[in-house]
Amino acid sequence: MTIPSDPMTRALELARQAAEAGEVPVGAVVVDPETGAIVGEGANCPIAGHDPTAHAEIIALRAAAAARGNYRLTGLHLYVTLEPCAMCAGAISFARIGKLVFAACDPKGGAVIHGARFFEQPTCHWRPDVEQDEATGELASALLKDFFRARRG
């Protein structure tokens, strides 16, 4: 795949595409930190896909696993525009992602630094390094707020 100048910029592009399709604007990109190459990417699509698990992170992890020919994505980095939910945090752990970088916090549905704090649970067997990209957090948050404001009329 391509090498982006900034993986979070690509994730934001994917989030905008999701919004244009009527989906909650979340985008995710899996990157090989050694090469900088995108290994998998995804945008939210549960409505179009009739699939409640079709979150951006899940789509990106599936694409990366297919590209690598392995469900273990040890050492790869995941960039996502919104703090992952519990389902996505579980998938990130099972995939053995080395580092998670997210932009906007999700106090209601997030499960990394909010809610369940999935990676802090004793039953979590793999914990990625976690970083919040505050520089793009406001952009991602504004994208989500604008999306929901427009839907509410």
Side-chain angles (χ1 to χ4, degrees), residues 10-20 23-28 42-44 81 143:
R10 178 61 183 150
L12 284 165
E13 289 173 13
L14 292 163
R16 288 185 191 97
Q17 291 173 15
E20 290 170 6
E23 303 277 1
V24 174
V26 180
N44 261 9
T81 59
L143 186 60

Side-chain angles (χ1 to χ4, degrees), residues 2-143:
T2 61
I3 297 177
S5 59
D6 175 27
M8 194 61 81
T9 299
R10 178 61 183 150
L12 284 165
E13 289 173 13
L14 292 163
R16 288 185 191 97
Q17 291 173 15
E20 290 170 6
E23 303 277 1
V24 174
V26 180
V29 176
V30 178
V31 175
D32 181 335
E34 291 183 18
T35 65
I38 292 177
V39 182
E41 62 182 28
N44 261 9
C45 62
I47 297 168
H50 310 289
D51 179 358
T53 69
H55 290 195
E57 300 95 322
I58 302 296
I59 302 301
L61 292 171
R62 288 177 181 162
R68 286 286 168 105
N70 192 333
Y71 75 102
R72 295 263 169 99
L73 304 174
T74 307
L76 299 183
H77 294 182
L78 174 64
Y79 293 80
V80 62
T81 59
L82 183 64
E83 177 184 351
C85 69
M87 174 185 69
C88 292
I92 291 163
S93 177
F94 290 137
R96 307 291 198 261
I97 288 292
K99 182 175 184 179
L100 165 66
V101 181
F102 68 91
C105 288
D106 186 357
K108 289 184 180 180
V112 176
I113 63 170
H114 294 94
R117 297 179 187 241
F118 186 88
F119 301 126
E120 295 176 21
Q121 300 307 310
T123 54
C124 178
H125 299 295
W126 179 268
R127 294 163 181 83
D129 292 331
V130 176
E131 178 183 313
Q132 184 184 3
D133 183 349
E134 294 179 20
T136 56
E138 289 185 34
L139 289 171
S141 182
L143 186 60

